[in-house]
Amino acid sequence: MMLMMRRGRFPSNDKAKFEEVLSNLREELDPLLSPVQSLVAQKLHVPTASLKWGASTAETSLFGLGAAAFAEVFVIESGYLIVTATESPDVRRLSVALERTDNSNDPSEGMLSFTLATIADQDAAGLLDAVAGKFETALGSSISTFRYTNDRFKELKAEAVSEDLPQSDEAITVSRALSDPDVRKLAINIKSSRGGLLGKELSKYVSEDDRRKDLMNQLLSEGVVTKEVVVVCSGTQSQIVRVIDRTSLDKLAQEGLRCACGKPINEEIPEDLLILTDLAVILLDKSRWLSVLVREELITLGVPREDILLECVIGADEIDCIALVGGELTIFELKDKEFSVGNAYSFGAKMGLLSAEQSVIVTTEFVSPDVKAHFSRSRASDRRVSSRGADNSDTLHYVEGSDFQSELQGVISKIYGIRGRRLLDVAMRSLTPDSASLVAVIESHSVRGEL
Protein backbone atom coordinates (compact mmCIF):
# COMPACT_ATOMS: atom_id res chain seq x y z
CA MET A 1 0.00 0.00 0.00
CA MET A 2 1.18 3.50 -0.83
CA LEU A 3 0.14 6.81 0.70
CA MET A 4 0.35 9.86 -1.57
CA MET A 5 -0.78 13.33 -0.56
CA ARG A 6 -1.37 16.84 -1.87
CA ARG A 7 -2.31 19.96 0.11
CA GLY A 8 -3.50 23.48 -0.66
CA ARG A 9 -5.51 26.43 0.73
CA PHE A 10 -8.30 28.60 -0.58
CA PRO A 11 -10.38 31.53 0.73
CA SER A 12 -13.54 30.72 2.65
CA ASN A 13 -15.62 32.74 0.19
CA ASP A 14 -14.67 30.20 -2.52
CA LYS A 15 -16.49 27.37 -0.77
CA ALA A 16 -19.06 27.19 -3.55
CA LYS A 17 -16.33 26.62 -6.16
CA PHE A 18 -14.76 23.89 -4.03
CA GLU A 19 -18.14 22.25 -3.49
CA GLU A 20 -18.88 22.35 -7.22
CA VAL A 21 -15.66 20.46 -8.02
CA LEU A 22 -16.44 17.97 -5.29
CA SER A 23 -19.95 17.50 -6.64
CA ASN A 24 -18.59 16.83 -10.13
CA LEU A 25 -16.16 14.27 -8.71
CA ARG A 26 -19.07 12.49 -7.08
CA GLU A 27 -20.57 12.10 -10.55
CA GLU A 28 -17.32 10.86 -12.09
CA LEU A 29 -16.06 8.60 -9.28
CA ASP A 30 -17.62 6.27 -6.72
CA PRO A 31 -18.35 8.24 -3.50
CA LEU A 32 -18.61 6.46 -0.16
CA LEU A 33 -19.76 9.12 2.32
CA SER A 34 -22.41 11.21 0.53
CA PRO A 35 -24.76 8.25 -0.17
CA VAL A 36 -24.73 7.39 3.55
CA GLN A 37 -25.38 11.03 4.48
CA SER A 38 -28.38 11.03 2.13
CA LEU A 39 -29.81 7.96 3.86
CA VAL A 40 -29.42 9.58 7.30
CA ALA A 41 -31.10 12.79 6.13
CA GLN A 42 -33.88 10.79 4.54
CA LYS A 43 -34.48 8.99 7.83
CA LEU A 44 -34.79 12.38 9.56
CA HIS A 45 -37.07 13.74 6.82
CA VAL A 46 -34.79 16.71 6.14
CA PRO A 47 -32.58 17.79 3.21
CA THR A 48 -28.98 16.60 3.48
CA ALA A 49 -27.74 20.20 3.23
CA SER A 50 -29.77 21.22 6.28
CA LEU A 51 -27.55 19.11 8.55
CA LYS A 52 -24.04 19.96 9.64
CA TRP A 53 -21.85 16.93 9.26
CA GLY A 54 -18.72 16.04 11.22
CA ALA A 55 -17.28 16.08 14.71
CA SER A 56 -18.56 18.43 17.36
CA THR A 57 -16.78 21.70 18.06
CA ALA A 58 -15.34 20.30 21.29
CA GLU A 59 -13.95 17.24 19.52
CA THR A 60 -12.33 19.15 16.69
CA SER A 61 -10.81 21.55 19.19
CA LEU A 62 -9.39 18.62 21.14
CA PHE A 63 -7.70 17.14 18.09
CA GLY A 64 -6.68 20.50 16.61
CA LEU A 65 -8.34 19.65 13.31
CA GLY A 66 -10.76 22.53 12.92
CA ALA A 67 -14.36 22.13 11.83
CA ALA A 68 -14.70 19.90 8.76
CA ALA A 69 -16.23 21.94 5.96
CA PHE A 70 -16.14 19.18 3.35
CA ALA A 71 -15.17 15.53 3.32
CA GLU A 72 -15.55 12.70 0.85
CA VAL A 73 -14.01 9.31 0.34
CA PHE A 74 -14.02 7.83 -3.16
CA VAL A 75 -13.55 4.13 -3.82
CA ILE A 76 -10.87 3.77 -6.50
CA GLU A 77 -9.00 0.82 -7.92
CA SER A 78 -7.29 -1.01 -5.04
CA GLY A 79 -7.91 1.77 -2.52
CA TYR A 80 -9.40 5.15 -1.69
CA LEU A 81 -9.16 8.80 -2.67
CA ILE A 82 -9.76 11.08 0.32
CA VAL A 83 -10.79 14.74 0.02
CA THR A 84 -11.07 16.86 3.16
CA ALA A 85 -11.26 20.59 3.83
CA THR A 86 -11.06 22.12 7.30
CA GLU A 87 -11.62 25.63 8.55
CA SER A 88 -8.68 27.35 10.28
CA PRO A 89 -6.86 24.25 11.57
CA ASP A 90 -4.56 25.23 14.40
CA VAL A 91 -1.47 23.12 13.73
CA ARG A 92 0.18 24.46 16.87
CA ARG A 93 -2.26 22.45 18.94
CA LEU A 94 -1.56 19.13 17.29
CA SER A 95 -0.68 16.64 20.00
CA VAL A 96 1.89 14.84 17.85
CA ALA A 97 4.71 16.92 16.40
CA LEU A 98 5.09 14.75 13.31
CA GLU A 99 1.59 15.64 12.12
CA ARG A 100 3.20 18.84 10.86
CA THR A 101 4.20 18.99 7.23
CA ASP A 102 6.96 20.72 5.33
CA ASN A 103 4.70 23.58 4.32
CA SER A 104 2.27 23.56 7.25
CA ASN A 105 2.36 27.17 8.36
CA ASP A 106 -0.71 28.32 10.27
CA PRO A 107 -3.24 29.42 7.69
CA SER A 108 -4.46 32.96 7.94
CA GLU A 109 -7.96 33.65 9.11
CA GLY A 110 -10.65 33.16 6.51
CA MET A 111 -8.78 30.40 4.71
CA LEU A 112 -9.61 26.73 4.36
CA SER A 113 -6.97 24.05 4.21
CA PHE A 114 -7.70 21.03 2.07
CA THR A 115 -5.99 17.70 1.63
CA LEU A 116 -6.13 15.21 -1.22
CA ALA A 117 -4.75 11.75 -0.50
CA THR A 118 -4.75 8.30 -2.03
CA ILE A 119 -4.35 5.08 -0.09
CA ALA A 120 -3.94 2.32 -2.63
CA ASP A 121 -2.05 -0.86 -3.43
CA GLN A 122 -0.54 0.79 -6.48
CA ASP A 123 0.82 4.14 -7.56
CA ALA A 124 -2.17 6.49 -7.91
CA ALA A 125 -0.17 9.65 -8.67
CA GLY A 126 -1.90 10.08 -12.04
CA LEU A 127 -5.36 10.18 -10.50
CA LEU A 128 -4.21 12.38 -7.63
CA ASP A 129 -2.63 14.91 -9.99
CA ALA A 130 -5.72 14.94 -12.22
CA VAL A 131 -8.01 15.67 -9.25
CA ALA A 132 -5.62 18.29 -7.91
CA GLY A 133 -5.66 19.96 -11.34
CA LYS A 134 -9.45 20.28 -11.23
CA PHE A 135 -9.29 22.08 -7.87
CA GLU A 136 -6.42 24.30 -8.99
CA THR A 137 -8.34 25.40 -12.08
CA ALA A 138 -11.52 26.13 -10.13
CA LEU A 139 -9.90 27.85 -7.15
CA GLY A 140 -6.95 29.53 -8.81
CA SER A 141 -4.67 28.29 -6.01
CA SER A 142 -1.71 25.95 -6.18
CA ILE A 143 -1.74 22.49 -4.67
CA SER A 144 1.61 21.03 -3.67
CA THR A 145 2.91 17.58 -2.92
CA PHE A 146 3.69 17.18 0.74
CA ARG A 147 4.79 14.60 3.24
CA TYR A 148 4.86 14.39 7.00
CA THR A 149 8.04 15.47 8.73
CA ASN A 150 9.49 14.45 12.05
CA ASP A 151 11.56 16.61 14.39
CA ARG A 152 13.44 13.63 15.80
CA PHE A 153 14.42 12.50 12.30
CA LYS A 154 15.75 15.98 11.55
CA GLU A 155 17.89 15.83 14.70
CA LEU A 156 19.30 12.41 13.80
CA LYS A 157 19.95 13.44 10.20
CA ALA A 158 21.96 16.44 11.41
CA GLU A 159 23.92 14.31 13.88
CA ALA A 160 24.47 11.13 11.85
CA VAL A 161 27.56 10.40 9.80
CA SER A 162 26.26 8.16 7.03
CA GLU A 163 28.08 6.30 4.28
CA ASP A 164 27.44 7.37 0.70
CA LEU A 165 26.72 3.99 -0.89
CA PRO A 166 26.72 3.57 -4.69
CA GLN A 167 23.46 4.63 -6.35
CA SER A 168 24.11 3.78 -10.00
CA ASP A 169 22.03 1.34 -12.02
CA GLU A 170 25.10 -0.87 -12.17
CA ALA A 171 25.30 -0.95 -8.37
CA ILE A 172 21.64 -1.93 -8.14
CA THR A 173 22.14 -4.70 -10.73
CA VAL A 174 25.14 -6.11 -8.87
CA SER A 175 23.28 -5.90 -5.55
CA ARG A 176 20.32 -7.80 -6.96
CA ALA A 177 22.67 -10.47 -8.25
CA LEU A 178 24.28 -10.79 -4.82
CA SER A 179 20.86 -11.25 -3.24
CA ASP A 180 20.86 -14.75 -4.82
CA PRO A 181 22.34 -16.98 -2.07
CA ASP A 182 24.23 -19.15 -4.60
CA VAL A 183 25.72 -16.12 -6.37
CA ARG A 184 26.66 -14.55 -3.05
CA LYS A 185 28.30 -17.72 -1.74
CA LEU A 186 30.32 -18.06 -4.93
CA ALA A 187 31.31 -14.38 -4.84
CA ILE A 188 32.54 -14.77 -1.28
CA ASN A 189 34.68 -17.75 -2.32
CA ILE A 190 36.10 -15.80 -5.27
CA LYS A 191 36.92 -12.90 -2.95
CA SER A 192 38.71 -15.19 -0.51
CA SER A 193 40.74 -16.85 -3.30
CA ARG A 194 44.12 -15.26 -3.72
CA GLY A 195 44.20 -13.43 -7.04
CA GLY A 196 40.86 -14.84 -8.22
CA LEU A 197 39.29 -18.25 -8.77
CA LEU A 198 40.15 -20.57 -11.66
CA GLY A 199 37.16 -21.55 -13.74
CA LYS A 200 37.88 -25.25 -13.27
CA GLU A 201 37.70 -24.77 -9.50
CA LEU A 202 34.02 -23.79 -9.67
CA SER A 203 33.17 -27.49 -9.45
CA LYS A 204 34.32 -27.40 -5.80
CA TYR A 205 31.43 -25.09 -4.99
CA VAL A 206 28.79 -25.98 -7.61
CA SER A 207 28.57 -29.64 -8.57
CA GLU A 208 25.89 -29.52 -11.28
CA ASP A 209 27.28 -28.61 -14.71
CA ASP A 210 24.21 -26.69 -15.88
CA ARG A 211 23.92 -24.72 -12.66
CA ARG A 212 27.65 -23.93 -12.75
CA LYS A 213 27.36 -22.64 -16.30
CA ASP A 214 24.30 -20.54 -15.41
CA LEU A 215 26.07 -19.02 -12.41
CA MET A 216 29.15 -18.22 -14.49
CA ASN A 217 27.01 -16.41 -17.07
CA GLN A 218 25.09 -14.56 -14.36
CA LEU A 219 28.25 -13.42 -12.61
CA LEU A 220 29.67 -12.08 -15.85
CA SER A 221 26.51 -10.53 -17.32
CA GLU A 222 25.49 -8.74 -14.13
CA GLY A 223 28.91 -7.24 -13.43
CA VAL A 224 29.83 -9.28 -10.36
CA VAL A 225 33.03 -10.67 -11.91
CA THR A 226 35.30 -10.13 -14.85
CA LYS A 227 37.11 -12.93 -16.65
CA GLU A 228 40.81 -12.94 -17.46
CA VAL A 229 43.20 -15.67 -18.54
CA VAL A 230 46.03 -17.11 -16.47
CA VAL A 231 48.74 -19.43 -17.74
CA VAL A 232 49.48 -22.41 -15.51
CA CYS A 233 52.81 -24.23 -15.79
CA SER A 234 52.19 -27.87 -16.70
CA GLY A 235 55.15 -28.92 -14.61
CA THR A 236 54.77 -27.01 -11.36
CA GLN A 237 51.03 -26.08 -11.60
CA SER A 238 52.05 -22.54 -10.67
CA GLN A 239 50.38 -19.52 -12.25
CA ILE A 240 52.94 -17.92 -14.55
CA VAL A 241 51.31 -14.94 -16.20
CA ARG A 242 47.89 -13.30 -16.32
CA VAL A 243 46.47 -11.57 -19.40
CA ILE A 244 43.19 -9.97 -20.44
CA ASP A 245 42.30 -12.62 -23.06
CA ARG A 246 43.77 -15.60 -24.91
CA THR A 247 44.68 -13.65 -28.04
CA SER A 248 47.26 -11.82 -25.96
CA LEU A 249 49.15 -15.08 -25.41
CA ASP A 250 50.00 -15.50 -29.10
CA LYS A 251 51.43 -11.99 -29.23
CA LEU A 252 53.54 -12.68 -26.14
CA ALA A 253 54.78 -15.98 -27.63
CA GLN A 254 55.80 -14.21 -30.83
CA GLU A 255 57.81 -11.80 -28.70
CA GLY A 256 59.64 -14.77 -27.19
CA LEU A 257 57.97 -15.02 -23.78
CA ARG A 258 58.48 -18.46 -22.24
CA CYS A 259 57.29 -20.26 -19.13
CA ALA A 260 59.79 -20.68 -16.28
CA CYS A 261 60.16 -24.31 -17.36
CA GLY A 262 61.27 -23.21 -20.84
CA LYS A 263 58.17 -23.91 -22.91
CA PRO A 264 56.76 -21.16 -25.17
CA ILE A 265 54.04 -19.40 -23.22
CA ASN A 266 51.32 -20.35 -25.72
CA GLU A 267 52.08 -24.06 -25.25
CA GLU A 268 51.21 -23.99 -21.58
CA ILE A 269 47.72 -24.43 -20.13
CA PRO A 270 45.50 -21.29 -20.30
CA GLU A 271 42.77 -21.17 -17.66
CA ASP A 272 39.85 -18.82 -17.14
CA LEU A 273 40.27 -16.71 -14.02
CA LEU A 274 37.28 -15.11 -12.29
CA ILE A 275 37.94 -11.84 -10.47
CA LEU A 276 35.43 -9.77 -8.51
CA THR A 277 34.83 -6.31 -9.92
CA ASP A 278 35.76 -3.38 -7.69
CA LEU A 279 32.07 -2.56 -7.32
CA ALA A 280 31.23 -6.11 -6.26
CA VAL A 281 33.97 -6.02 -3.64
CA ILE A 282 32.55 -2.81 -2.17
CA LEU A 283 28.98 -4.15 -2.12
CA LEU A 284 29.94 -7.56 -0.74
CA ASP A 285 31.91 -6.02 2.12
CA LYS A 286 29.71 -5.50 5.21
CA SER A 287 26.76 -6.75 3.10
CA ARG A 288 26.37 -3.30 1.58
CA TRP A 289 24.38 -4.89 -1.24
CA LEU A 290 21.57 -5.48 1.27
CA SER A 291 21.57 -1.82 2.30
CA VAL A 292 21.42 -0.74 -1.35
CA LEU A 293 18.44 -3.00 -2.09
CA VAL A 294 16.56 -1.87 1.01
CA ARG A 295 17.12 1.76 0.00
CA GLU A 296 15.87 1.14 -3.55
CA GLU A 297 12.82 -0.73 -2.27
CA LEU A 298 11.96 2.15 0.07
CA ILE A 299 12.27 4.63 -2.80
CA THR A 300 10.02 2.45 -4.96
CA LEU A 301 7.46 2.51 -2.14
CA GLY A 302 7.41 6.30 -2.05
CA VAL A 303 10.06 7.17 0.55
CA PRO A 304 12.16 10.10 -0.77
CA ARG A 305 15.86 9.35 -1.13
CA GLU A 306 16.72 12.26 1.18
CA ASP A 307 14.66 10.62 3.92
CA ILE A 308 16.86 7.51 3.94
CA LEU A 309 20.17 7.31 5.84
CA LEU A 310 22.38 4.24 5.34
CA GLU A 311 25.26 2.85 7.38
CA CYS A 312 24.95 5.58 10.02
CA VAL A 313 27.17 6.32 12.98
CA ILE A 314 25.53 8.35 15.75
CA GLY A 315 27.84 8.81 18.68
CA ALA A 316 29.20 5.34 19.40
CA ASP A 317 26.27 3.53 17.79
CA GLU A 318 26.06 2.10 14.29
CA ILE A 319 22.64 1.91 12.62
CA ASP A 320 22.20 0.15 9.31
CA CYS A 321 19.34 2.32 8.10
CA ILE A 322 17.16 5.17 9.37
CA ALA A 323 14.19 6.27 7.27
CA LEU A 324 11.17 8.51 7.56
CA VAL A 325 8.20 6.42 6.39
CA GLY A 326 4.96 8.37 6.27
CA GLY A 327 6.17 10.55 9.14
CA GLU A 328 7.16 7.56 11.26
CA LEU A 329 10.79 7.45 12.41
CA THR A 330 11.78 3.94 11.33
CA ILE A 331 15.07 2.16 12.01
CA PHE A 332 16.28 -0.98 10.26
CA GLU A 333 18.70 -3.69 11.33
CA LEU A 334 20.00 -5.59 8.30
CA LYS A 335 21.59 -9.04 8.60
CA ASP A 336 22.91 -11.40 5.94
CA LYS A 337 22.64 -14.23 8.47
CA GLU A 338 20.46 -15.43 11.34
CA PHE A 339 19.35 -12.66 13.71
CA SER A 340 20.35 -14.04 17.10
CA VAL A 341 19.74 -13.09 20.72
CA GLY A 342 23.09 -11.29 20.81
CA ASN A 343 21.88 -9.02 18.02
CA ALA A 344 18.57 -8.46 19.83
CA TYR A 345 20.07 -6.77 22.90
CA SER A 346 22.08 -4.38 20.76
CA PHE A 347 19.14 -3.50 18.52
CA GLY A 348 16.81 -3.12 21.48
CA ALA A 349 19.12 -0.52 22.95
CA LYS A 350 19.16 1.41 19.65
CA MET A 351 15.36 1.37 19.47
CA GLY A 352 15.14 3.10 22.83
CA LEU A 353 18.06 5.44 22.25
CA LEU A 354 16.71 6.76 18.94
CA SER A 355 13.07 6.92 20.12
CA ALA A 356 11.98 5.12 16.96
CA GLU A 357 8.26 4.85 16.27
CA GLN A 358 8.82 1.82 14.02
CA SER A 359 11.59 -0.80 14.01
CA VAL A 360 12.29 -3.35 11.29
CA ILE A 361 14.60 -6.37 11.40
CA VAL A 362 15.56 -7.57 7.91
CA THR A 363 17.44 -10.85 7.64
CA THR A 364 18.16 -13.00 4.60
CA GLU A 365 17.78 -16.05 6.85
CA PHE A 366 15.51 -15.99 9.92
CA VAL A 367 14.95 -14.34 13.27
CA SER A 368 15.63 -16.71 16.15
CA PRO A 369 12.49 -17.75 18.08
CA ASP A 370 14.33 -16.70 21.25
CA VAL A 371 14.65 -13.19 19.82
CA LYS A 372 10.93 -12.96 19.13
CA ALA A 373 10.16 -14.21 22.63
CA HIS A 374 12.58 -11.67 24.10
CA PHE A 375 11.02 -8.73 22.28
CA SER A 376 7.51 -9.96 23.07
CA ARG A 377 8.28 -9.98 26.80
CA SER A 378 10.14 -6.68 26.66
CA ARG A 379 7.41 -4.82 24.81
CA ALA A 380 4.67 -6.30 27.00
CA SER A 381 6.54 -4.86 29.97
CA ASP A 382 6.80 -1.49 28.24
CA ARG A 383 3.04 -1.41 27.75
CA ARG A 384 2.43 -2.12 31.43
CA VAL A 385 4.60 0.77 32.58
CA SER A 386 3.50 3.21 29.89
CA SER A 387 1.64 6.13 31.42
CA ARG A 388 -0.31 6.55 28.20
CA GLY A 389 -1.20 2.89 27.94
CA ALA A 390 -0.12 2.89 24.30
CA ASP A 391 -0.06 -0.42 22.49
CA ASN A 392 3.33 -0.77 20.82
CA SER A 393 2.92 -4.42 19.88
CA ASP A 394 2.71 -3.60 16.17
CA THR A 395 5.74 -1.31 15.94
CA LEU A 396 8.39 -4.05 15.61
CA HIS A 397 8.41 -5.89 12.30
CA TYR A 398 10.28 -8.96 11.05
CA VAL A 399 11.34 -9.45 7.42
CA GLU A 400 12.87 -12.88 6.93
CA GLY A 401 14.26 -14.98 4.08
CA SER A 402 15.81 -14.46 0.68
CA ASP A 403 12.54 -12.98 -0.63
CA PHE A 404 12.96 -10.06 1.77
CA GLN A 405 11.97 -7.39 -0.76
CA SER A 406 8.35 -8.54 -1.10
CA GLU A 407 8.16 -9.00 2.67
CA LEU A 408 9.48 -5.47 3.14
CA GLN A 409 6.68 -4.13 0.93
CA GLY A 410 4.14 -5.54 3.38
CA VAL A 411 5.85 -3.92 6.35
CA ILE A 412 6.06 -0.49 4.70
CA SER A 413 2.41 -0.77 3.68
CA LYS A 414 1.53 -1.46 7.30
CA ILE A 415 3.40 1.67 8.43
CA TYR A 416 1.70 3.78 5.76
CA GLY A 417 -1.57 2.33 7.01
CA ILE A 418 -1.10 4.12 10.33
CA ARG A 419 -1.30 7.48 8.56
CA GLY A 420 -3.99 6.25 6.22
CA ARG A 421 -6.24 5.35 9.12
CA ARG A 422 -5.81 8.83 10.60
CA LEU A 423 -6.78 10.48 7.32
CA LEU A 424 -9.80 8.21 6.99
CA ASP A 425 -10.78 8.92 10.60
CA VAL A 426 -10.95 12.64 9.81
CA ALA A 427 -13.08 12.03 6.73
CA MET A 428 -15.33 9.41 8.31
CA ARG A 429 -16.38 11.86 11.01
CA SER A 430 -18.51 13.43 8.30
CA LEU A 431 -20.84 10.44 8.48
CA THR A 432 -22.13 11.71 11.82
CA PRO A 433 -24.52 14.69 12.01
CA ASP A 434 -23.36 17.37 14.40
CA SER A 435 -25.34 17.23 17.66
CA ALA A 436 -26.51 20.84 17.26
CA SER A 437 -27.95 19.91 13.86
CA LEU A 438 -29.90 17.03 15.36
CA VAL A 439 -31.34 19.25 18.09
CA ALA A 440 -32.31 21.79 15.42
CA VAL A 441 -34.19 19.03 13.57
CA ILE A 442 -36.19 18.22 16.71
CA GLU A 443 -36.98 21.89 17.28
CA SER A 444 -38.04 22.32 13.67
CA HIS A 445 -40.34 19.30 13.81
CA SER A 446 -41.79 20.53 17.11
CA VAL A 447 -42.61 23.91 15.62
CA ARG A 448 -44.38 22.21 12.75
CA GLY A 449 -46.16 19.86 15.13
CA GLU A 450 -44.61 16.77 13.56
CA LEU A 451 -43.38 15.23 16.83
Side-chain angles (χ1 to χ4, degrees), residues 80 92-93 97 112 126 189 266 293 295 331 344 408 446 449 451:
Y80 306 101
R92 291 168 300 184
R93 299 193 59 180
L112 275 80
N189 286 318
N266 60 348
L293 291 185
R295 177 186 62 195
I331 63 171
L408 184 59
S446 299
L451 293 180

Side-chain angles (χ1 to χ4, degrees), residues 135-152:
F135 282 107
E136 283 184 327
T137 300
L139 300 171
S141 59
S142 62
I143 300 174
S144 59
T145 300
F146 80 96
R147 63 185 187 272
Y148 292 110
T149 60
N150 185 299
D151 289 341
R152 180 58 177 150

Side-chain angles (χ1 to χ4, degrees), residues 382-411:
D382 289 343
R383 289 195 297 276
R384 286 195 296 271
V385 302
S386 173
S387 59
R388 296 181 299 170
D391 184 0
N392 59 7
S393 60
D394 62 349
T395 61
L396 175 61
H397 314 273
Y398 303 111
V399 176
E400 303 172 85
S402 57
D403 189 24
F404 65 89
Q405 287 167 285
S406 62
E407 294 290 325
L408 184 59
Q409 290 176 11
V411 168

Side-chain angles (χ1 to χ4, degrees), residues 268-295:
E268 289 290 17
I269 305 169
E271 296 280 0
D272 289 333
L273 184 70
L274 300 179
I275 306 164
L276 283 183
T277 62
D278 292 341
L279 181 58
V281 171
I282 292 172
L283 294 171
L284 198 58
D285 189 29
K286 298 181 181 179
S287 298
R288 290 188 179 95
W289 63 269
L290 181 54
S291 298
V292 168
L293 291 185
V294 167
R295 177 186 62 195

